[in-house]
Amino acid sequence: MFCSPQIVATRPPAIVSAGGFTPTTFDAASLSNATLSNGNLTATRSNTSTGGAQSIAYKATGKFYFEVTVGASHGSTDSIGIMASSYGYGPLTNGNTGAGSGVWLGNGNIVNNGGVVGNIGAANATGDIIRVAHDAPAGKVWYALNGGTWMNSGTADPATNNGGVTLIAAQYAPVIGFSPFGSPTVGDNFTANFGATAFTYGVPSGFTAGWSA
Protein backbone atom coordinates (compact mmCIF):
# COMPACT_ATOMS: atom_id res chain seq x y z
CA MET A 1 0.00 0.00 0.00
CA PHE A 2 1.41 3.40 -0.91
CA CYS A 3 1.43 6.20 1.60
CA SER A 4 3.10 9.54 1.06
CA PRO A 5 6.03 9.81 3.46
CA GLN A 6 5.35 11.86 6.52
CA ILE A 7 8.59 13.69 7.09
CA VAL A 8 9.72 13.98 10.67
CA ALA A 9 11.22 17.26 11.82
CA THR A 10 14.98 17.08 12.30
CA ARG A 11 17.44 18.85 14.52
CA PRO A 12 21.19 18.43 15.07
CA PRO A 13 21.94 15.39 17.27
CA ALA A 14 22.31 16.03 20.98
CA ILE A 15 25.80 15.99 22.45
CA VAL A 16 26.93 13.34 24.92
CA SER A 17 27.62 15.09 28.23
CA ALA A 18 31.18 15.53 29.45
CA GLY A 19 30.34 13.45 32.51
CA GLY A 20 29.81 10.30 30.43
CA PHE A 21 26.86 8.43 28.91
CA THR A 22 23.70 10.49 28.48
CA PRO A 23 20.68 8.47 27.30
CA THR A 24 18.43 9.86 24.61
CA THR A 25 14.67 10.43 24.91
CA PHE A 26 11.90 10.86 22.38
CA ASP A 27 11.99 14.31 20.83
CA ALA A 28 8.95 16.60 21.08
CA ALA A 29 9.69 18.02 17.62
CA SER A 30 9.20 14.56 16.09
CA LEU A 31 5.67 13.99 17.44
CA SER A 32 2.71 13.21 15.22
CA ASN A 33 -0.70 12.51 16.76
CA ALA A 34 1.01 11.63 20.03
CA THR A 35 2.07 13.10 23.35
CA LEU A 36 5.07 12.53 25.59
CA SER A 37 5.32 11.99 29.34
CA ASN A 38 7.58 10.27 31.88
CA GLY A 39 10.58 12.41 31.00
CA ASN A 40 9.83 12.03 27.27
CA LEU A 41 10.19 8.24 27.48
CA THR A 42 6.49 7.34 27.16
CA ALA A 43 4.72 8.03 23.86
CA THR A 44 0.91 7.99 23.94
CA ARG A 45 -1.47 7.98 20.99
CA SER A 46 -3.69 11.10 20.90
CA ASN A 47 -5.98 10.08 18.01
CA THR A 48 -6.48 7.13 15.68
CA SER A 49 -4.56 8.50 12.70
CA THR A 50 -1.01 7.54 11.75
CA GLY A 51 1.49 8.96 14.21
CA GLY A 52 4.48 8.32 16.38
CA ALA A 53 7.55 9.60 18.17
CA GLN A 54 11.25 9.41 17.38
CA SER A 55 14.51 10.10 19.14
CA ILE A 56 16.63 12.76 17.50
CA ALA A 57 19.86 10.84 18.24
CA TYR A 58 20.78 9.41 14.84
CA LYS A 59 23.74 7.04 14.75
CA ALA A 60 26.44 6.49 12.16
CA THR A 61 28.89 4.85 14.57
CA GLY A 62 28.64 2.61 17.63
CA LYS A 63 26.57 -0.35 18.80
CA PHE A 64 23.50 0.35 20.91
CA TYR A 65 20.82 -1.61 22.78
CA PHE A 66 17.42 -0.46 24.03
CA GLU A 67 14.09 -1.89 25.20
CA VAL A 68 10.51 -0.73 24.68
CA THR A 69 7.64 -1.90 26.91
CA VAL A 70 4.09 -2.10 25.59
CA GLY A 71 1.55 -0.26 27.75
CA ALA A 72 -1.34 -0.80 25.33
CA SER A 73 -1.40 -1.50 21.59
CA HIS A 74 -4.42 -1.97 19.32
CA GLY A 75 -3.17 -0.83 15.91
CA SER A 76 -2.29 -3.95 13.91
CA THR A 77 0.91 -2.44 12.54
CA ASP A 78 1.93 -0.38 15.56
CA SER A 79 5.70 -0.40 15.19
CA ILE A 80 8.83 -0.37 17.31
CA GLY A 81 12.15 -0.01 15.56
CA ILE A 82 14.58 2.46 14.04
CA MET A 83 14.36 4.79 11.04
CA ALA A 84 16.07 7.62 9.22
CA SER A 85 14.62 11.12 9.52
CA SER A 86 13.50 11.04 5.88
CA TYR A 87 11.33 7.92 6.27
CA GLY A 88 8.21 8.85 8.24
CA TYR A 89 5.51 7.14 10.29
CA GLY A 90 3.29 6.36 7.31
CA PRO A 91 5.88 4.22 5.53
CA LEU A 92 6.88 2.62 8.84
CA THR A 93 3.35 1.39 9.56
CA ASN A 94 2.43 0.72 5.91
CA GLY A 95 5.57 -1.16 4.93
CA ASN A 96 6.67 1.24 2.20
CA THR A 97 10.22 1.04 0.91
CA GLY A 98 12.85 3.28 2.45
CA ALA A 99 15.28 3.63 5.34
CA GLY A 100 13.21 2.21 8.15
CA SER A 101 12.83 -1.07 10.04
CA GLY A 102 10.58 -2.25 12.83
CA VAL A 103 8.37 -4.91 14.35
CA TRP A 104 4.65 -4.82 13.57
CA LEU A 105 3.31 -5.70 16.98
CA GLY A 106 -0.04 -7.20 15.95
CA ASN A 107 1.51 -10.16 14.17
CA GLY A 108 5.21 -9.86 15.06
CA ASN A 109 6.40 -9.34 11.49
CA ILE A 110 9.83 -7.75 11.17
CA VAL A 111 9.66 -5.24 8.33
CA ASN A 112 12.63 -3.63 6.61
CA ASN A 113 12.67 -1.37 3.53
CA GLY A 114 9.08 -2.34 2.72
CA GLY A 115 9.50 -6.12 2.99
CA VAL A 116 8.83 -8.71 5.70
CA VAL A 117 12.16 -10.25 6.70
CA GLY A 118 11.22 -12.27 9.80
CA ASN A 119 8.80 -12.70 12.68
CA ILE A 120 9.18 -12.68 16.47
CA GLY A 121 5.54 -13.49 17.31
CA ALA A 122 2.70 -11.19 18.32
CA ALA A 123 4.14 -8.50 20.60
CA ASN A 124 1.14 -6.34 21.50
CA ALA A 125 0.25 -7.64 24.97
CA THR A 126 0.53 -5.25 27.88
CA GLY A 127 3.96 -5.72 29.45
CA ASP A 128 5.61 -7.19 26.35
CA ILE A 129 9.18 -5.94 25.91
CA ILE A 130 10.69 -5.55 22.47
CA ARG A 131 14.50 -5.64 22.52
CA VAL A 132 16.47 -3.82 19.83
CA ALA A 133 20.20 -4.02 19.06
CA HIS A 134 21.65 -1.74 16.36
CA ASP A 135 25.17 -2.07 14.97
CA ALA A 136 25.63 1.20 13.08
CA PRO A 137 28.99 0.40 11.38
CA ALA A 138 27.64 -2.96 10.18
CA GLY A 139 24.35 -1.39 9.09
CA LYS A 140 22.29 -4.03 10.88
CA VAL A 141 19.58 -4.36 13.52
CA TRP A 142 18.24 -7.29 15.55
CA TYR A 143 14.90 -7.68 17.37
CA ALA A 144 13.67 -10.01 20.10
CA LEU A 145 10.50 -10.37 22.15
CA ASN A 146 10.76 -10.63 25.94
CA GLY A 147 13.35 -13.30 26.77
CA GLY A 148 13.13 -15.01 23.37
CA THR A 149 15.98 -15.51 20.94
CA TRP A 150 17.12 -12.75 18.64
CA MET A 151 15.06 -12.71 15.44
CA ASN A 152 13.25 -15.79 16.84
CA SER A 153 16.23 -17.76 15.56
CA GLY A 154 18.61 -20.20 17.16
CA THR A 155 21.61 -18.66 15.38
CA ALA A 156 21.03 -14.90 15.10
CA ASP A 157 23.23 -13.00 17.54
CA PRO A 158 24.22 -9.31 17.49
CA ALA A 159 27.29 -10.06 19.63
CA THR A 160 28.76 -12.10 16.77
CA ASN A 161 27.17 -10.11 13.92
CA ASN A 162 25.24 -13.21 12.91
CA GLY A 163 21.88 -12.90 11.19
CA GLY A 164 19.88 -9.75 11.78
CA VAL A 165 18.41 -7.24 9.36
CA THR A 166 20.59 -5.47 6.80
CA LEU A 167 19.56 -1.82 6.56
CA ILE A 168 19.64 0.74 3.78
CA ALA A 169 22.68 2.97 4.34
CA ALA A 170 21.54 5.88 6.52
CA GLN A 171 21.75 7.26 10.03
CA TYR A 172 19.04 5.74 12.24
CA ALA A 173 17.29 6.65 15.49
CA PRO A 174 14.75 4.77 17.68
CA VAL A 175 11.09 5.17 16.67
CA ILE A 176 7.55 4.31 17.79
CA GLY A 177 4.89 4.20 15.08
CA PHE A 178 1.15 4.35 15.76
CA SER A 179 -0.83 2.47 13.10
CA PRO A 180 -4.19 3.53 11.62
CA PHE A 181 -5.06 -0.12 10.92
CA GLY A 182 -6.77 -2.68 13.12
CA SER A 183 -8.43 -1.09 16.16
CA PRO A 184 -6.26 1.94 17.00
CA THR A 185 -7.26 3.34 20.37
CA VAL A 186 -6.55 6.74 21.90
CA GLY A 187 -4.34 6.17 24.93
CA ASP A 188 -2.29 3.32 23.45
CA ASN A 189 1.24 3.84 24.69
CA PHE A 190 4.83 2.60 24.80
CA THR A 191 7.68 3.32 27.19
CA ALA A 192 11.29 3.22 26.06
CA ASN A 193 14.34 2.48 28.14
CA PHE A 194 17.32 4.09 26.44
CA GLY A 195 19.67 3.35 29.33
CA ALA A 196 18.48 5.67 32.10
CA THR A 197 17.55 2.64 34.25
CA ALA A 198 18.56 -1.01 34.43
CA PHE A 199 17.43 -3.21 31.54
CA THR A 200 15.14 -6.19 32.01
CA TYR A 201 17.26 -8.40 29.75
CA GLY A 202 20.97 -8.76 29.09
CA VAL A 203 22.79 -6.38 26.77
CA PRO A 204 24.62 -8.17 23.91
CA SER A 205 28.37 -8.33 24.36
CA GLY A 206 30.11 -5.38 22.72
CA PHE A 207 27.00 -3.17 22.71
CA THR A 208 26.42 0.01 24.69
CA ALA A 209 23.79 -0.44 27.41
CA GLY A 210 21.44 2.15 26.00
CA TRP A 211 21.18 4.67 23.17
CA SER A 212 23.14 7.83 23.84
CA ALA A 213 21.78 11.33 23.22
Side-chain angles (χ1 to χ4, degrees):
M1 180 186 333
F2 176 78
C3 179
S4 298
Q6 181 177 358
I7 304 302
V8 177
T10 60
R11 293 177 180 172
I15 304 299
V16 175
S17 68
F21 179 84
T22 301
T24 191
T25 62
F26 291 121
D27 184 71
S30 75
L31 292 179
S32 176
N33 299 318
T35 60
L36 294 177
S37 59
N38 185 34
N40 288 352
L41 293 175
T42 298
T44 300
R45 179 192 284 274
S46 57
N47 65 48
T48 58
S49 299
T50 303
Q54 189 179 18
S55 164
I56 207 67
Y58 301 98
K59 299 300 182 186
T61 60
K63 302 179 181 182
F64 302 92
Y65 171 85
F66 67 96
E67 297 176 349
V68 178
T69 300
V70 176
S73 174
H74 295 90
S76 57
T77 59
D78 283 349
S79 302
I80 292 171
I82 59 175
M83 74 179 192
S85 63
S86 60
Y87 193 46
Y89 304 123
L92 182 71
T93 56
N94 282 342
N96 297 147
T97 57
S101 175
V103 176
W104 283 351
L105 304 187
N107 59 16
N109 279 348
I110 299 169
V111 180
N112 180 56
N113 186 24
V116 176
V117 295
N119 186 283
I120 61 171
N124 58 355
T126 297
D128 274 345
I129 296 176
I130 291 77
R131 297 148 51 207
V132 184
H134 175 47
D135 183 334
K140 297 177 75 173
V141 63
W142 292 257
Y143 301 101
L145 173 61
N146 298 322
T149 56
W150 288 104
M151 305 295 293
N152 200 22
S153 163
T155 57
D157 185 356
T160 58
N161 194 26
N162 193 35
V165 178
T166 300
L167 302 163
I168 290 178
Q171 294 187 40
Y172 288 83
V175 62
I176 298 295
F178 290 115
S179 166
F181 308 114
S183 302
T185 303
V186 172
D188 283 353
N189 65 92
F190 306 96
T191 297
N193 184 353
F194 295 123
T197 58
F199 289 108
T200 301
Y201 298 100
V203 178
S205 177
F207 281 69
T208 298
W211 192 289
S212 58

